[in-house]
């Protein structure tokens, strides 16, 4: 699993590409991983993390945002 680094996030944020962001309120329920397995994974602390991708569109991120019980996911 290759995670999105802060450097990559910074670079992508300066382009037109929308990037999913998971905040610190994640409780590790894994709903987002089940829905958008190409985008999210759980780290060793059972927190959702964003994988490094070229494009996050059409990968059910909006469905993961809707399913997250603590509203931890947003687009940046
Ligand atoms: S759905 Fe929300 S709470 Fe559950 S793992 Fe994903 S970000 Fe965390």
């Amino acid at each position: 699993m290759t995670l999105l680094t802060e450097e990559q996030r910074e670079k992508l944020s300066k382009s037109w590409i929308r990037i999913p962001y998971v905040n610190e309120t994640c409780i590790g329920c894994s709903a987002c991983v089940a829905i958008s397995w190409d985008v999210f994974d759980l780290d060793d602390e059972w927190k959702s993390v964003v994988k490094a991708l070229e494009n996050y569109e059409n990968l059910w991120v909006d469905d993961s945002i809707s399913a997250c019980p603590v509203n931890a996911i947003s687009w940046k």
Side-chain angles (χ1 to χ4, degrees):
M1 169 178 65
T2 304
L3 300 182
L4 185 66
T5 65
E6 283 304 314
E7 184 178 328
Q8 290 171 313
R9 177 178 295 282
E10 180 87 13
K11 184 177 175 185
L12 288 172
S13 69
K14 292 176 181 171
S15 69
W16 59 271
I17 298 171
R18 295 193 303 164
I19 310 165
Y21 174 77
V22 180
N23 69 32
E24 69 285 350
T25 62
C26 170
I27 58 172
C29 74
S30 78
C32 59
V33 179
I35 296 168
S36 309
W37 56 88
D38 287 329
V39 175
F40 301 103
D41 204 346
L42 295 182
D43 67 11
D44 293 342
E45 298 178 347
W46 286 81
K47 298 288 186 180
S48 178
V49 288
V50 177
K51 296 179 182 178
L53 300 174
E54 296 288 322
N55 187 344
Y56 296 93
E57 301 294 336
N58 303 316
L59 293 174
W60 301 285
V61 173
D62 286 330
D63 290 340
S64 287
I65 290 171
S66 297
C68 180
V70 293
N71 298 318
I73 309 169
S74 60
W75 287 107
K76 291 286 182 186

